Amino acid sequence: MYYFPPKVLANVEIPSDNTTGAAQTNRRYARMAISFFAVDPVQVERALRAVQERQGRGENVDFLTALTAAKILSKSQAEHLRLEKAPADQAEEDASRRRPTKFDPAAGAPAGDLTRIGPYRILRRLGAGGMGAVYLGFDGAGNRQVALKILSAEQAPKQNILQRFQREGRHGALLVHPNIVRTFGAAQDAETGLHFIVLEYVEGITALDLLDRAGKLQIGDALHIILDIARALEHAHKSQIIHRDIKPGNILVTPSGLAKLSDLGLAKRRDDPASLTHATQGIGTPYYMPYEQAMNAKMADERSDIYALGATLYHLLTGEVPFPGESSLEIVEKKAVGVFRRASEINTEIPVTLDEILTRMLARDPASRYQTASDVIVDLERSHLAAKIPSFVQIDSALQDPVVVERLTSPVETTQPDLQLQSAAQAKKAREQQIWFLRYRDPRGNLVKAKGSAANVLERIKNGTIPANAEASLSAQGKFKPLGQWPEFQTGLAAATSREPEEKANPAEAWAERSGRGRWLWLAVAAAGIGAVGLVLTTVFLWVWN
Ligand code: ADP
């Protein structure tokens, strides 16, 4: 689910008021298309103007159909928007709060009113996400309100989506922390077959809502929220979970000012290959995710979450994202370069310390970033800039929350970096920088020696310039083992081998053949050269002779 920040939406010149109902609906759909599906705003705007013109001439044109015809939206995306309640319809929103939630059969849910799911009573709708909608529910047994995230029946038959939803439930259940929205469980409703996740109900608003209201946040408030989410990340990372979608829209802020990380829909367990969708697809939200994740979601690790947290902090402090752009491609290209405006240039109240923290969080190269969330917490705490209670919170409400009271009354003690996490991260960084020694035989049987970083070796495996049967070692005199026996290269080798069929089943053979082809080419060029020189010499000789 993409959420484009309001700033960017504001840049899109969706023509303003033109009072007819159709024009307003078109405009709403245009904004939703950009916001939900990250489509190119310029194309949407062009389509919108064309449709408005045709409607102005009295033609019966449907804007969503026009977006599909122009291939800006897929049919199912257009349908999704058609079924989505237009957000500006406040009256309708209010009305829906008063009556029991009605499930629209067209939206894939069963016909009729669904007032219960599993043992929970459904009270009202709280919001919609990428895979379904979230409802306020009542848990009679626990005598408490809960949030019920229900996978839409339209999405459930898609195996990858269902698996992702179930994984979200499992990952959530592993995380119990005051700064993470609690997952109580996940189940399938026996009667309707709908899949759902039961979550702690957080009565509050998202950090994106706060940005919408204020444009940007006070420094103390922004740091308070980010510090809370850094604590959430510290806990998640310790539990081997990478969130992969940190953004203002996924931070819920309670009336007591506690920030809670939500939406584990894209989270993965470290080293769990099943957590991946398409390895080459950069899932997540383009404005906040780091370059390496945009290139390949598989590359995301703890440091990618730290980057996204940095991008979120930047947005909260300045009201702007560090790498703005109107299309995912434009944003990613800027991230590839990695240069962004210093936050203090946009908001002159921002002190140098914060610029420095942001530079380390948003470093292009993961090795130059903070390596752990604990390191981020230490620097944020040392800055003493975070508000104890955010300015937008009523002190009375804050003091009713036991977690807030505990934090306010516990002795001031700066967090020490988590040594276990830190040493794991340092070990990872050291391994990335390590030099590998390689040896292998070229097609003529000569022993070749080479060396390079793991990334270097992987690149060469990928482009076939070293054979799969090469041996590697971490020192020149060390124990050499076949590449396939080093975990660092197993995935790369497997990928290279699976790509081979159109060439040769065995990468070593393909490599040898490629090299062999090269050798014949060189021989042909050399023979042609010798022939040409011979011809010139003969001509000169005959000319001198005569
Ligand atoms: P997305 O995929 O858009 O991030 P989610 O499916 O996680 O969305 O949630 C959609 C919306 O539902 C959120 O923006 C929020 O307003 C609301 N919401 C989600 N979880 C909760 C919760 N635990 N308590 C209260 N509201 C929630």
Side-chain angles (χ1 to χ4, degrees):
M1 165 62 58
Y2 288 105
Y3 259 118
F4 272 54
K7 188 89 195 162
V8 179
L9 289 181
N11 287 342
V12 185
E13 281 191 29
I14 302 300
S16 65
D17 235 357
N18 153 350
T19 54
T20 71
Q24 276 175 7
T25 309
N26 291 347
R27 207 164 53 239
R28 250 175 246 150
Y29 278 142
R31 286 181 185 280
M32 286 161 78
I34 297 164
S35 165
F36 283 23
F37 302 115
V39 292
D40 184 351
V42 177
Q43 280 188 31
V44 174
E45 187 199 334
R46 209 174 290 141
L48 179 66
R49 286 183 198 281
V51 166
Q52 310 256 42
E53 252 180 59
R54 290 174 61 192
Q55 285 175 338
R57 289 197 299 268
E59 279 181 53
N60 185 12
V61 222
D62 173 60
F63 180 51
L64 286 179
T65 313
L67 286 182
T68 341
K71 301 212 179 325
I72 297 171
L73 287 184
S74 69
K75 274 195 177 141
S76 66
Q77 285 172 332
E79 275 323 292
H80 179 98
L81 292 191
R82 216 183 281 286
L83 296 168
E84 186 66 34
K85 185 155 40 65
D89 281 344
Q90 197 54 50
E92 194 189 327
E93 174 80 27
D94 293 343
S96 82
R97 280 169 195 242
R98 286 192 296 272
R99 63 175 186 248
T101 310
K102 194 170 180 91
F103 276 72
D104 182 351
D113 290 344
L114 187 75
T115 52
R116 297 195 77 84
I117 189 161
Y120 307 99
R121 194 146 58 84
I122 291 177
L123 301 174
R124 67 178 161 90
R125 186 173 134 124
L126 294 168
M131 296 193 258
V134 182
Y135 296 85
L136 175 65
F138 186 74
D139 167 15
N143 192 25
R144 60 181 173 183
Q145 289 185 318
V146 287
L148 300 164
K149 193 169 198 174
I150 305 181
L151 178 65
S152 85
E154 188 190 48
Q155 302 278 8
K158 299 174 192 157
Q159 273 310 300
N160 56 339
I161 303 250
L162 176 61
Q163 281 167 4
R164 201 203 279 178
F165 190 77
Q166 289 169 331
R167 230 170 10 240
E168 178 176 352
R170 282 200 305 276
H171 290 153
L174 294 172
L175 302 175
V176 180
H177 187 274
N179 295 114
I180 300 179
V181 174
R182 186 75 198 276
T183 301
F184 296 125
Q188 186 176 14
D189 182 47
E191 215 173 292
T192 59
L194 290 169
H195 294 267
F196 63 99
I197 300 176
V198 189
L199 300 162
E200 161 192 12
Y201 168 54
V202 181
E203 188 197 356
I205 54 171
T206 67
L208 189 65
D209 295 328
L210 287 171
L211 274 174
D212 270 349
R213 284 185 193 174
K216 60 177 187 262
L217 269 58
Q218 290 184 18
I219 293 175
D221 295 347
L223 286 181
H224 173 96
I225 292 174
I226 295 299
L227 200 45
D228 272 0
I229 302 304
R231 290 183 184 121
L233 282 183
E234 185 182 50
H235 178 77
H237 292 170
K238 230 188 243 181
S239 314
Q240 308 288 317
I241 304 276
I242 319 288
H243 187 279
R244 294 198 295 185
D245 200 16
I246 305 288
K247 58 179 179 178
N250 281 342
I251 299 174
L252 291 165
V253 186
T254 67
S256 63
L258 214 57
K260 288 180 182 264
L261 183 57
S262 82
D263 198 357
L264 288 157
L266 296 183
K268 70 160 184 176
R269 269 208 91 171
R270 226 184 177 323
D271 305 327
D272 173 8
S275 287
L276 300 163
T277 46
H278 302 289
T280 49
Q281 193 187 339
I283 56 170
T285 307
Y287 284 112
Y288 306 96
M289 73 165 111
Y291 180 72
E292 74 272 6
Q293 188 180 337
M295 290 296 96
N296 183 347
K298 236 186 198 177
M299 301 298 288
D301 64 14
E302 292 82 350
R303 299 166 301 177
S304 314
D305 280 349
I306 290 172
Y307 180 101
L309 186 66
T312 303
L313 172 60
Y314 189 100
H315 193 179
L316 298 185
L317 288 169
T318 63
E320 292 178 20
V321 287
F323 297 96
E326 293 194 344
S327 69
S328 298
L329 187 66
E330 187 188 343
I331 299 163
V332 167
E333 277 172 355
K334 285 185 185 160
K335 284 187 176 168
V337 181
V339 181
F340 60 92
R341 262 178 94 191
R342 269 206 319 269
S344 60
E345 279 177 31
I346 306 170
N347 176 355
T348 49
E349 285 169 21
I350 292 175
V352 176
T353 344
L354 269 188
D355 269 333
E356 287 166 357
I357 290 176
L358 283 167
T359 304
R360 278 191 70 191
M361 293 180 88
L362 289 167
R364 155 85 167 71
D365 175 11
S368 312
R369 275 177 220 152
Y370 287 101
Q371 297 296 297
T372 68
S374 315
D375 291 332
V376 177
I377 296 174
V378 170
D379 271 9
L380 291 179
E381 281 183 345
R382 278 193 192 138
S383 76
H384 296 289
L385 289 166
K388 295 255 181 272
I389 296 180
S391 64
F392 51 82
V393 160
Q394 301 224 328
I395 306 239
D396 292 353
S397 313
L399 295 181
Q400 278 167 23
D401 184 333
V403 178
V404 174
V405 173
E406 198 207 309
R407 285 189 182 166
L408 284 173
T409 50
S410 57
V412 184
E413 188 184 293
T414 312
T415 306
Q416 294 304 313
D418 183 312
L419 293 179
Q420 198 190 340
L421 276 183
Q422 212 178 31
S423 61
Q426 271 163 2
K428 182 166 191 274
K429 187 173 167 186
R431 251 183 130 68
E432 277 173 5
Q433 289 171 350
Q434 231 155 12
I435 294 296
W436 289 84
F437 294 84
L438 299 173
R439 60 182 195 197
Y440 52 86
R441 298 217 171 256
D442 73 8
R444 272 164 291 174
N446 301 324
L447 185 68
V448 180
K449 290 182 180 175
K451 61 182 179 176
S453 66
N456 221 237
V457 175
L458 282 168
E459 187 57 37
R460 291 168 68 179
I461 293 175
K462 194 171 153 201
N463 62 28
T465 48
I466 48 172
N469 60 5
E471 291 183 321
S473 165
L474 278 166
S475 76
Q477 287 79 36
K479 195 168 160 18
F480 278 81
K481 288 194 291 183
L483 282 175
Q485 288 184 20
W486 293 101
E488 282 81 356
F489 307 122
Q490 281 163 354
T491 321
L493 268 182
T497 317
S498 67
R499 267 198 318 275
E500 283 308 325
E502 37 343 321
E503 300 185 34
K504 275 265 177 271
N506 176 354
E509 260 179 59
W511 175 79
E513 191 171 278
R514 245 194 309 278
S515 310
R517 270 205 300 270
R519 200 172 66 218
W520 284 115
L521 189 67
W522 277 113
L523 281 176
V525 171
I530 292 167
V533 171
L535 195 69
V536 170
L537 284 179
T538 313
T539 315
V540 170
F541 178 75
L542 288 175
W543 183 68
V544 170
W545 185 260
N546 292 323

